[in-house]
Amino acid sequence: MKKNCIYILFLIGFMCNSLFAQTEIASFKNFLKENSTDIKDVIPVVNTKNNDLAILIADAKNVYAYKFNDEFKLTGQLSSETKKRKYKILLGSSIYGNDYKIFLTNKSNTQFAAVSFSFNDKKNTVKEFLLPSGQTFIQTISLKNKFYIISGNKINGNVYLNYINEDGNLQYIPLDISELRLLNEKNKKVRVVDLLLPFNYSPIKKFEENTPNSIESVSETAKMYLKDDNLIISFDNNKNITQLFTVNLTNYKVSTTTFNKPLSNIKSGRKKTNSFIFDNKIAVVAATKDVLSMYILDLASGNFIKEYAASKDEEILFKNSPIIQKGGFYNGYRELEKTKKFLRKITAGKIGVSVIKNKNTYLVTLGGYVEQRTAAPMMMGGFGGIGGAIASVGSVNVNLFFNPTMFAYNSFTNTKSTQIESLFDTNFDHIKDTEVPKNIFDKIKSTPKKSDIGYTIFKYKDFYIRSDYTPSNKTYHLRKFTR
């Protein structure tokens, strides 16, 4: 009887904890929708100045825009008709007063459109534009409701920040980087634009603070971060150093920083390296088939904080999880015992490290993965017709630009990685004999949803919102998830 009571109390406590972790904060009828066409996608736009939220629901014919205040009360709505369909990729958004703009591009990132939703005037307009001659698209960034298209010029070596001003006109800010040089993988000095626009160009991935990321995504050698008012791009193409290119988005001054990597005495051809920026620190890792080393450095000063290392013949004492292998031919889960096997697997492909801070604890995930030739491309749904400007398209590129949270969430699918997880306190001392908690994405995945229609996840304030749509009664749901 006593055991049964304990079990019931435990179950009640678990249920209470689950309820606290996720709550439906709003649901509303899509009352503007009168046709029976399917919902293609839903786009959230967060006003970072006052925490208003616009939800744009797109079907094949129309887009329905609803605006809410920070208490999730409806304060405005409007709908628009389909017009054009050549712009297939969503890039980002900007907000001026009560006018919300969505930015789109074609598949080649050469033509652009700004789609405006004016909740005051109940009007929707589309304005097409091109980047100035010689500029090539690199990535996008948004800060304080202002949207920038980052571009580069291979001829003069300049980098530009393009934006649409309040009057709807394109303007750009040239960054003074003509004298800046970084090292490429062969230790040759090159221009910044040569690293931003390599021959086999693919957009740099963006990373949000304290959002879980898969080993696949963090194994990229170039990463983009937004910290305070600074745009930071890290380069790990050189196996001896990590290089940062920083742009202050308030005064547009630029700077570069260099961090030495571990295992500097080992020839670069024998090791794999990478880094990850978090909080006010940077983790820099290097590994060979024989040894692994991770530095924790102060981001501002470069001062050394901690090092953790392990050789192939010894146990990894700073891990809190088993050595885990995910995916592969059988798409399964395995635990490996030997450090030797771990090092061999993480150096067979790409290596990566990610760090999340949760209250007074840092969770470090360190590992590597091998690209799967037979794997299907990661898809996240398709867009319908925002102001007629979006056509159906796989959303890998969409979320790569617009919604890093959704991109990170989906990056955990279709994986073959080998990794360990470790817990550290605020001084980066290892917390021993402690189980690794589930991350926020694990909680979201384990919570049943209404449907896959209009399904998206985005960051709002200090928590996450998952949304989905019930087509039978045209109701849209917003559910809050906390760590």
Side-chain angles (χ1 to χ4, degrees):
M1 181 69 181
K2 185 176 181 181
K3 287 183 178 180
N4 289 338
C5 290
I6 293 173
Y7 174 77
I8 292 170
L9 289 172
F10 172 81
L11 185 62
I12 292 172
F14 175 80
M15 293 174 62
C16 290
N17 183 64
S18 298
L19 289 171
F20 177 76
Q22 50 87 21
T23 309
E24 183 164 292
I25 53 176
S27 63
F28 62 95
K29 293 276 188 180
N30 186 9
F31 57 86
L32 295 173
K33 181 176 173 63
E34 297 179 352
N35 62 55
S36 58
T37 57
D38 294 335
I39 294 297
K40 296 295 184 181
D41 217 321
V42 175
I43 301 167
V45 181
V46 179
N47 188 323
T48 57
K49 292 185 178 180
N50 62 12
N51 293 314
D52 282 359
L53 171 66
I55 299 291
L56 312 180
I57 305 175
D59 61 24
K61 295 183 177 181
N62 303 296
V63 59
Y64 313 98
Y66 298 90
K67 191 167 79 72
F68 301 85
N69 61 18
D70 59 353
E71 296 179 345
F72 300 100
K73 297 186 183 300
L74 185 66
T75 59
Q77 66 278 330
L78 67 95
S79 62
S80 65
E81 296 180 358
T82 297
K83 293 179 181 178
K84 298 180 180 179
R85 302 181 65 85
K86 68 179 179 179
Y87 298 104
K88 300 180 181 297
I89 300 173
L90 180 64
L91 292 177
S93 62
S94 69
I95 304 172
Y96 289 106
N98 217 16
D99 291 340
Y100 285 63
K101 281 185 170 63
I102 300 296
F103 295 88
L104 306 109
T105 184
N106 59 2
K107 286 185 177 180
S108 58
N109 300 324
T110 56
Q111 296 177 291
F112 304 86
V115 186
S116 299
F117 296 87
S118 175
F119 286 96
N120 286 341
D121 301 332
K122 306 289 185 183
K123 290 182 179 179
N124 166 245
T125 58
V126 179
K127 184 173 183 178
E128 299 175 275
F129 64 95
L130 302 173
L131 293 180
S133 177
Q135 292 190 30
T136 301
F137 176 90
I138 294 174
Q139 244 294 4
T140 67
I141 198 77
S142 295
L143 177 67
K144 298 176 181 177
N145 296 337
K146 190 172 183 178
F147 171 79
Y148 297 94
I149 295 176
I150 306 166
S151 63
N153 188 312
K154 274 279 194 178
I155 304 300
N156 61 25
N158 286 338
V159 172
Y160 302 87
L161 298 177
N162 299 268
Y163 66 96
I164 299 293
N165 64 16
E166 194 168 356
D167 297 324
N169 299 316
L170 178 68
Q171 297 185 342
Y172 66 88
I173 300 164
L175 301 178
D176 184 13
I177 62 169
S178 57
E179 302 300 320
L180 288 182
R181 293 293 183 271
L182 297 175
L183 294 181
N184 65 9
E185 67 278 4
K186 298 180 180 179
N187 286 318
K188 179 182 177 181
K189 289 185 178 181
V190 296
R191 303 172 304 176
V192 175
V193 74
D194 294 324
L195 296 180
L196 292 171
L197 289 171
F199 177 74
N200 59 342
Y201 164 72
S202 62
I204 299 171
K205 292 184 176 64
K206 297 188 281 191
F207 293 85
E208 292 181 321
E209 192 86 17
N210 293 324
T211 293
N213 290 285
S214 68
I215 288 297
E216 285 82 352
S217 59
V218 298
S219 68
E220 297 290 332
T221 56
K223 303 182 190 71
M224 181 179 290
Y225 308 84
L226 187 61
K227 293 186 68 64
D228 301 321
D229 291 339
N230 293 311
L231 164 65
I232 303 175
I233 301 176
S234 66
F235 298 102
D236 281 290
N237 52 296
N238 189 294
K239 295 183 180 180
N240 296 316
I241 56 174
T242 293
Q243 302 169 101
L244 305 186
F245 171 62
T246 302
V247 182
N248 185 296
L249 295 177
T250 300
N251 56 27
Y252 304 110
K253 291 183 178 180
V254 299
S255 61
T256 59
T257 313
T258 300
F259 300 91
N260 292 324
K261 291 179 175 177
L263 309 182
S264 58
N265 60 324
I266 297 176
K267 291 183 179 180
S268 61
R270 295 183 55 206
K271 63 184 176 183
K272 298 294 177 71
T273 67
N274 219 311
S275 70
F276 192 82
I277 295 173
F278 64 99
D279 206 5
N280 57 353
K281 304 174 180 66
I282 182 170
V284 187
V285 298
T288 69
K289 292 180 180 179
D290 300 318
V291 65
L292 162 72
S293 178
M294 177 177 67
Y295 288 169
I296 305 299
L297 307 172
D298 182 85
L299 185 63
S301 66
N303 290 341
F304 179 85
I305 298 174
K306 287 285 193 240
E307 179 185 12
Y308 288 93
S311 68
K312 65 178 182 179
D313 297 321
E314 61 186 16
E315 184 182 355
I316 303 173
L317 298 177
F318 58 90
K319 66 180 175 66
N320 292 72
S321 72
I323 299 172
I324 301 168
Q325 181 177 313
K326 298 180 179 180
F329 183 78
Y330 296 104
N331 195 30
Y333 172 99
R334 291 178 60 199
E335 293 184 4
L336 309 178
E337 294 184 2
K338 300 293 185 181
T339 302
K340 180 178 181 179
K341 186 172 285 190
F342 173 68
L343 294 178
R344 188 170 71 246
K345 286 187 175 292
I346 70 171
T347 55
K350 296 181 177 181
I351 192 174
V353 60
S354 70
V355 187
I356 298 173
K357 186 178 183 181
N358 187 7
K359 297 179 180 178
N360 295 319
T361 303
Y362 290 108
L363 170 61
V364 175
T365 304
L366 195 161
Y369 92 107
V370 178
E371 293 183 86
Q372 299 298 289
R373 294 181 182 178
T374 58
M378 179 173 61
M379 304 297 284
M380 304 179 192
F383 280 106
I386 293 295
I390 305 177
S392 179
V393 63
S395 303
V396 172
N397 287 335
V398 172
N399 287 294
L400 173 59
F401 298 121
F402 176 69
N403 188 350
T405 301
M406 191 64 180
F407 184 84
Y409 180 81
N410 281 279
S411 72
F412 284 91
T413 64
N414 199 25
T415 175
K416 182 184 178 182
S417 63
T418 305
Q419 64 186 51
I420 59 171
E421 294 179 309
S422 305
L423 293 171
F424 302 90
D425 63 20
T426 53
N427 295 318
F428 243 86
D429 292 322
H430 180 228
I431 304 172
K432 299 179 181 180
D433 303 320
T434 303
E435 187 177 350
V436 175
K438 286 187 175 182
N439 66 43
I440 189 69
F441 288 165
D442 292 327
K443 294 179 181 179
I444 293 173
K445 287 180 179 179
S446 64
T447 304
K449 56 183 182 290
K450 301 292 183 180
S451 71
D452 290 322
I453 299 174
Y455 184 72
T456 192
I457 298 162
F458 59 98
K459 207 168 187 179
Y460 180 86
K461 295 182 180 179
D462 60 348
F463 57 89
Y464 295 84
I465 293 178
R466 188 187 74 184
S467 63
D468 54 24
Y469 187 77
T470 305
S472 59
N473 58 10
K474 298 181 181 180
T475 302
Y476 195 63
H477 308 269
L478 300 176
R479 188 174 292 274
K480 172 183 177 180
F481 287 83
T482 57
R483 292 186 182 89

